Amino acid sequence: MSYAAYKMMHWPTGIENCASGFVTHSRADFSPQIPPIQTDDLESEWPAERQTGPLPNLIVTAANVLEVYVVRVQEEDIRESRVTAETKRGGVMAGISGASLELVCQYRLHGNVETMTVLPSGGGDNSRRRDSIILAFQDAKISVLEFDDSIHGLRASSMHCFEGPGWFHLKRGHESFARGPMVKVDPQGRCSGVLVYGLQMIILKASQASYGLVGDEDALGSGSAVSARVESSYIINLRDLDMKHVKDFTFAHGYIEPVMVILHERELTWAGRVSWKHHTCMISALSISTTLKQHPLIWSAVNLPHDAYKLLPVPSPIGGVVVIGANSIHYHSQSASCALALNNYAVSFDNSQEMSRSSFSVELDAANATWLSNDVAMLSTKTGELLLLTLVYDGRVVHRLDLSKSRASVLTSGIAAIGNAFFFLGSRLGDSLLVQFSSILSSSVKEEIGDIEGDVPSAKRLRKSSSDALQDMVNGEELSLYGSAPNSTETSQKTFTFSVRDSFINVGPLKDFAYGLRINADPKATGVAKQSNYELVCCSGHGKNGALCILQQSIRPEMITEVELPGCKGIWTVYHKNTRGHNVDSTKMAAKDDEYHAYLIISLESRTMVLETADLLGEVTESVDYYVQGCTISAGNLFGRRRVVQVYARGARILDGAFMTQDLPISESSSVLSVSIADPYVLLRMSDGNIQLLVGDPSTCTVSINIPAVFESSTKSISACTLYHDKGPEPWLRKTSTDAWLSTGIDEAIDGSDGAAHDQGDIYCVVCYESGGLEIFDVPNFNCVFSVDKFMSGKAHLVDTLITEPSEDTQKVMSQNSEEVAGQGRKENTHNIQVVELAMQRWSGQHSRPFLFGILTDGTILCYHAYLYEGPENTSKTEEAISAQDSLRTSNVSASHLRNLRFVRVPLDAYTREEALSGTTSPRMTVFKNVGGCQGLFLSGSRPLWFMVFRERIRVHPQLCDGSIVAFTVLHNINCNHGFIYVTSQGFLKICQLPSGSSYDNYWPVQKIALKGTPHQVTYFAEKNLYPLIVSVPVLKPLNHVLSSLVDQEAGHQIENDSAGSDELHRSYSVDEFEVRILEPEKSGASWQTRATIPMQSAENALTVRVVTLFNITTKENETLLAIGTAYVQGEDVAARGRVLLFSVGKNTDNSQNMVSEIYSKELKGAISALASLQGHLLIASGPKIILHKWTGTELNGVAFFDAPPLYVVSLNIVKNFILLGDIHKSIYFLSWKEQGAQLNLLAKDFGSLDCFATEFLIDGSTLSLIVSDDQKNIQIFYYAPKMSESWKGQKLLSRAEFHVGAHVTKFLRLQMLPASSDRTSATQGSDKTNRFALLFGTLDGSFGCIAPLDELTFRRLQSLQKKLVDAVPHVAGLNPRSFRQFRSNGKAHRPGPDNIVDCELLCHFEMLPFEDQHEIAQQIGTTRVQILSNLNDLSLGTSFL
């Protein structure tokens, strides 16, 4: 392997930073703008919602992923039936029945976000200004981003970089720093501070220019929102102010100028010196004058404890700061100070005055905090408890601090309060939660408890999401529902109630994973379909958030029945509603989702079958009036499900159940190619390129043909078309026309003509021409309301042509240019690319916006999301355009243009392109509203895909298990609840359901199994299909037990009791107890069963568990055993020891105790950190030795050893007789084992020092490479070449490639790559490519990726493309992808290695470029667009392992 590609497959999910701010809207957008009308539309809710106040956005980052969300609140609706209200998570609280997070935009950056904050715009509740996001990146890069409505995304407003030769003096000779840049912001948004390089404070001054008078602010109009911006920056060197070790800083509230409070340590101390040298910290408050660039000290406080680490600014009107330490909390302001001791380790400075103590003991190191109100802060501890800190104050003087316990929750990495009713708990170790809170008076507590505790449905639903963190919060098992200190009577303390409203799944941190067979695996599968037999079982989370995550990249449905059905062309299910059922209006509404399907229509090559979908699928083809003599083009329901329409090649039939009510011949000359149905219209695309519309009359339930006049006269031939039904009480597209405010209130007056269809919403027709243009018409008048040129080129944004080209000259120029470009493109592609299929859909959800999908002839899928943009300049331009186009259209028609409608292109990660199919294809997209509780779109074809919509975001999940799928439809009946039917290209019809246990709102479908402990390592026992797993659970033990275990038993020392007082010995201390659980997978949805548990001795930690195959030299047979390596952790005074344990795993008997039996154990010197089987022998890494043992059946006997300088072996890999071991500090060693001399030889090693995390062999044909990941988030690939002179006669491993991943890689897994399509043709040199392996890796951020070998030709092509894309693509936040991927050595000496890995994270931008740019870039690097896309496609095909 000389060349490789780095490819991410599952992006990070562990949330590291979270913040809230008005980024996509301003505070003023929440005030009611329209007089409320009593309908169900969303405007009528705003006045009621003023109690929760304006809700800001939530911004989260996970490693290099940045996401902006908006909180959507569902009000408690009195008219709603109780049934529906109860199903929402968390019950009703403070008038809100539910809340969820909806994605606004998501970006993957070329750099990990170190810290993030929101720069507020200042201004009151009806300010029109918006906030901006400040991101800080390693070493000293700062980007300020603002939301731009016109592109519906973030745009950098300023970038500040303090790296490179010009800024070396800031580092003062240091190479490595304890932490990355830390950014904080003044609460009024006047400036921001960034601490870089330990002691350099960068002040970013915010621009004040946009502050105007109130009148000016209104003049900006609703369209142009002004965001906070940074004007200039300067540096304060804190060393000049005599600060040495800055721990934290923040900005205080309530001052006229910004005041920065800095927590710093005057001289360092450490645990051994604390009794002499303590209280070394102090805080200094500087007044920052950004204009004069001066920073006088205005007050300070000394003698704070050495373990103080965090500052929390107290909001106005109190002001001041809270200093949080591990054992005490202090409050300081210019005028007052007070402190609170949290446990017995807290001492006051001179031991004279007594500190006030909290009523319970707690340690607060690694806490996070936010303010729930101006005097109550919520702290989250390292064990996941939520504490409430109340400031008891009078005026601006704080008298004392009160701490009370509240609820137990997830272990947090950050907390953000969202408005005054919600907070978000961001977590890297568990699932992140959105929680609603409300403060209540103590008298009304009792009823509240009963209400929330008795919330059974939510608990049921949570069990389905199987996240223990939520159960703690809702059931309140660990702590009482509300916490208040015993003295709450005197202080009338606020009491808070909480309710979990939403959660994000997190699969990180991935410590280890195993690759095993799924329960429903198919042993006969071959090729790509075989891959979906496997799943990853991952150790993730920590402590009580520890869980086993079962990840599957592709969906494997649960089959109910299967029938052989050759020659099928399409399938449809239809409803049939008897007339008597719909006279009661309310019942119709309630039962609409749960109505069963009545008929299944199957179209074969020359006939049509009809089946009843009652209990059994019985064929009724003979007894119904359906057209069964030929194949059906499409079928569906009309007139509120009272009739069925069936369209065949030359006509259409309307049926009431089994009886035909109308037969309509359509055309003699041309046949129907595609059909789109939107009640009461049916749109037909004919083979002569024309369009016909069947218009239904709901009163008589009949249809008539209508050829739209627009298309009758037009010469342009149509390549694809579809109808879009803008449903709901408030159709979304209406808001985008300019007279939106008129139409919302007085609809009846405007279009009273179709009063019947009014509540049904509007219907539009989307048409794509062979020339590539796209137009949207309203139905049935067929006025053009939106049009775009060159839709198929895949531009990033679609804007109505009326707005973009106002004058005729520019239009001419534009069309000439595009024709030239198209001409160039045509030379390359012999066949012109067209749109072959369209779909537009808006899924249910109060604030949902429509998606537009298009499939091109070359298999590309374009996906666009509509958004609303009211540009300030729209009106003038459109008027100009109208006058220019008066000859073509009447002006009032173009006035109804949806001129505020725009579309933004959505990247689709997981999909692999189809090979282009010749001839007319059957439709591939099927929209579904409810399949197993999910909604979205299914794409059939040779690589079927599920597009599922969650929180306005599309999740793409492939389905590989059946190969190509020709037809798909949903089915809902008694035996198949919200399931689906599909037909494979082999001719099998399968009725299935989605696996219930998985959650699909993730990059890959995932099922989480709570362990209530920390998982450490997992392995797969293939013979018995079991997963042995190391779990540690914290247990509280009396202190004297713990101390006695720290003493060397042989030496027989006694503990000196005088050092610890008698009361100290009775205290308890938390110790991790280890065990190995053996889990057996269950059918999906069920929790996994623990078949057996192997406990460890006290103070013994299990370090590794492996399944080994040993050759028994007495019976001359191979035995498969379970090997466990352990270590006794007893402190630094006791010599390290460890045990190796061998277990045999028996039959799956009912008696679980007999399942595993210990057959051997042996104690060795040193911790046993890694085990592996090497050609029937057992290789054990014990401390600094590596020993090879042979197995006699009763004991292990050493046969060879290797004494190297390894300090502690982190990982051990074996291929044939080669051994690769990674050391915690000494990089990697490459050994070989020779049977005849019975010796372990060192072949070569890496002489550099490297803190290894994981190692593995990489095999490409006949070449063997060694890969290693390290603590600086890099990976390196080495090779062994004794003939090369620079390898020092073979002693030294040579570098083949190096790359910065940006995440800690904890495990590599070697998997064989699948042959890609281009390899099948060139079978001559195929021998080398069959033995090609890629490495799948998992990281601590919760991401997965792979390193895949490439041949040189592909590598050179992709590398030159990568160099072009660095400049061709606008990178979010202005980050440079090349600098991000440079090897980071953190100040250690390192010789740069070759750059032989291409970065697919950058290459994936190529598919998002417009068509013309793709051609141009491909031409510049001397290749073709098709060639590049097929290379990228082969790579994703070859690595679809799951």
Side-chain angles (χ1 to χ4, degrees), residues 867-915:
Y867 65 95
L868 189 72
Y869 173 62
E870 297 178 28
E873 76 293 330
N874 283 7
T875 44
S876 55
K877 278 192 186 175
T878 33
E879 271 155 22
E880 238 175 274
I882 290 166
S883 56
Q885 295 184 343
D886 256 341
S887 52
L888 303 177
R889 302 184 185 140
T890 53
S891 56
N892 66 339
V893 171
S894 51
S896 70
H897 240 261
L898 304 175
R899 66 182 66 165
N900 294 335
L901 172 65
R902 292 193 178 186
F903 290 90
V904 59
R905 186 156 169 210
V906 181
L908 302 173
D909 291 312
Y911 91 96
T912 324
R913 315 159 66 84
E914 300 269 333
E915 292 85 48

Side-chain angles (χ1 to χ4, degrees), residues 1263-1338:
T1263 54
L1264 186 70
S1265 311
L1266 322 172
I1267 192 163
V1268 56
S1269 68
D1270 62 43
D1271 69 325
Q1272 293 300 313
K1273 307 185 179 184
N1274 307 306
I1275 52 173
Q1276 289 179 80
I1277 300 177
F1278 291 98
Y1279 66 110
Y1280 173 59
K1283 300 211 170 61
M1284 307 270 285
S1285 59
E1286 60 261 44
S1287 73
W1288 303 347
K1289 294 186 179 170
Q1291 302 175 53
K1292 183 173 186 237
L1293 289 170
L1294 299 178
S1295 172
R1296 186 163 266 168
E1298 59 184 29
F1299 192 80
H1300 182 72
V1301 175
H1304 286 124
V1305 174
T1306 49
K1307 161 94 178 209
F1308 289 108
L1309 176 71
R1310 193 172 64 245
L1311 295 170
Q1312 187 155 5
M1313 285 181 74
L1314 306 168
S1317 51
S1318 55
D1319 300 345
R1320 295 187 206 114
T1321 49
S1322 52
T1324 47
Q1325 33 127 352
S1327 57
D1328 197 38
K1329 296 206 172 167
T1330 51
N1331 192 29
R1332 172 170 273 191
F1333 288 81
L1335 294 181
L1336 182 71
F1337 62 80

